[in-house]
């Protein structure tokens, strides 16, 4: 599983680790997983950054999930990232 609970996996949870995982999801056309990872980032108190959102938007775009792209762009604007 992607980014297992800390007790099962020693990976340090930071924006870099999440962004790398979101990027892997994008390359594998797993847009749903990329969206779930963005949510998980926020629950883990790791602030998504431009890379997080842009990579997730790319995953959505590759799947023609345009509503997802628009929603992520809106979230970015609300977070003050654009």
């Amino acid at each position: 599983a992607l980014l297992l609970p800390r007790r099962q996996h020693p990976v340090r949870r930071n924006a870099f680790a999440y962004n790398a995982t979101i990027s892997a999801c994008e390359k594998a056309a797993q847009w749903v997983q990329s969206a779930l990872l963005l949510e998980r980032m926020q629950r883990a108190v790791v602030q998504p950054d431009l890379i997080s959102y842009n990579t997730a938007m790319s995953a959505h775009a590759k799947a023609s999930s345009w509503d997802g792209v628009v929603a992520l762009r809106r979230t970015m604007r609300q977070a003050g990232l654009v």
Side-chain angles (χ1 to χ4, degrees):
L2 300 173
L3 290 175
L4 295 170
R6 193 175 290 266
R7 68 183 179 279
Q8 295 178 10
H9 202 295
V11 171
R12 186 172 182 172
R13 292 178 183 211
N14 57 28
F16 180 81
Y18 276 101
N19 289 346
T21 309
I22 293 169
S23 179
C25 291
E26 180 228 357
K27 288 173 179 52
Q30 298 293 317
W31 66 271
V32 173
Q33 289 297 322
S34 70
L36 293 173
L37 281 165
L38 276 176
E39 290 176 18
R40 190 178 292 176
M41 276 180 91
Q42 293 167 334
R43 283 194 310 258
V45 193
V46 176
Q47 185 63 40
D49 57 17
L50 284 173
I51 295 168
S52 311
Y53 285 109
N54 284 335
T55 306
M57 282 194 301
S58 178
H60 281 267
K62 286 181 179 181
S64 297
S65 172
W66 305 114
D67 290 339
V69 172
V70 171
L72 288 170
R73 178 78 174 165
R74 186 178 310 116
T75 303
M76 287 174 66
R77 191 174 301 121
Q78 291 169 346
L81 294 173
V82 291

